[in-house]
Amino acid sequence: MLIDTYGRVATDLRVSLTDRCNLRCTYCMPEEGLRWLAKPDLLTDDEIVRLIRIAVTELGVTEVRFTGGEPLLRPGLVGIVERCAALEPRPRMSLTTNGIGLKRTATALKAAGLDRVNVSLDTLRPDVFKTLTRRDRHQDVLDGMAAAREAGLTPVKVNAVLMPGLNEDEAPDLLAWAIEQGYELRFIEQMPLDAQHGWKRDGMITAGDILESLRTRFDLAPEGAGERGSAPAERWTVDGGPHTVGVIASVTRPFCRACDRTRLTADGQVRTCLFATEETDLRAALRSDAGDEAVAELWRKAMWGKKAGSGLDDPGFLQPDRPMSAIGG
Ligand code: SF4
């Protein structure tokens, strides 16, 4: 098991397949992009599958989420999914994507064994999308989501971040649209993981703001007596159900005490937390011919040192050097 000193057990593995992205969201990276990881530094497909196999068969991981950057930019993605689907026990597998490229790949991903997708979409307005992402690809994202739904990668979850002066007024419209389309919408508070280090707590739209805005049009009731376990989203039933909306209050109501995550970067580093400032190098172990048990032991040791939480409220909080695009969400 991957257990830490606080008794938390990590069963949910996030695997970043690339740090590259085909959008340039203003809250994530600068217009010119970032210095990408060099190809030789990236894990190969075989190395990724081996690490996932070790996680699933030796370390108790039951959920695997592929992230990026943008994971659909990884040429070997379908093959990786297919090989992971053949593992015993078979992990549940999902993908967090910006949706561009899903139209082309959704059917193959489903056939390979992917269970579902989370697509990021912050706005229904093509002009706002273009300002926010610096790319004119709004329709591609909508098409990608529809393709995922048709392929059975369901429930299709939509992740939205609201930002002041840009899309802060869109919460009710996004929810009405998601219900109509049969998607599960979740709002996520913006976190300080941007490459530009421009995040400001007093500039963010909070879960409280989002709920207030939604309540101007919908009746919301907490689902399951407000229990969320290790799930980051607090879910609300909309207008008596059956539709729901999730709010992930990563900053104002963190869920670190129930965290069940472990993360692997595209260059083979274990991160115990989104905000970890230390990493454990599994790629070096793989490339020096370490056996499965030695790799598993390194991973266990890394997780044992996991901190209590994000540290966002600590006076000395330091944003990690790696931006979100190189960690994976
Ligand atoms: S901030 Fe870190 S400890 Fe808290 S939920 Fe996220 S990954 Fe887990």
Side-chain angles (χ1 to χ4, degrees), residues 2 9-15 60-65 92 94 116 230 232 259-263 303:
L2 291 173
V9 179
T11 53
D12 183 339
L13 168 62
R14 312 273 159 132
V15 184
V61 162
T62 55
E63 298 262 355
V64 177
R65 171 178 297 279
R92 285 184 294 276
S94 56
R116 54 178 194 80
S230 63
C259 181
D260 62 355
R261 315 273 163 81
T262 183
R263 293 185 151 81
M303 292 308 290

Side-chain angles (χ1 to χ4, degrees), residues 45-104:
D45 292 1
D46 286 347
E47 287 170 334
I48 288 171
V49 173
R50 180 174 171 206
L51 287 177
I52 294 174
R53 177 176 56 72
I54 292 171
V56 168
T57 60
E58 314 268 333
L59 298 171
V61 162
T62 55
E63 298 262 355
V64 177
R65 171 178 297 279
F66 298 104
T67 70
E70 171 45 49
L72 292 176
L73 295 181
R74 175 104 191 184
L77 173 63
V78 172
I80 291 171
V81 171
E82 198 164 31
R83 290 165 71 189
C84 291
L87 292 173
E88 284 287 340
R90 180 194 186 285
R92 285 184 294 276
M93 286 182 291
S94 56
L95 178 81
T96 296
T97 168
N98 62 30
I100 297 169
L102 257 187
K103 188 175 174 187
R104 183 173 43 82

Side-chain angles (χ1 to χ4, degrees), residues 247-302:
V247 181
I248 303 182
S250 331
V251 177
T252 59
R253 265 173 59 76
F255 32 90
C256 304
R257 265 187 299 183
C259 181
D260 62 355
R261 315 273 163 81
T262 183
R263 293 185 151 81
L264 191 60
T265 64
D267 56 346
Q269 311 298 305
V270 167
R271 294 181 62 83
T272 56
C273 171
L274 274 178
F275 294 95
T277 47
E278 286 168 16
E279 301 180 337
T280 298
D281 190 355
L282 295 190
R283 184 190 62 196
L286 292 184
R287 294 184 183 176
S288 59
D289 293 330
D292 288 357
E293 185 42 45
V295 174
E297 192 50 29
L298 274 175
W299 207 327
R300 277 190 210 104
K301 270 198 186 132

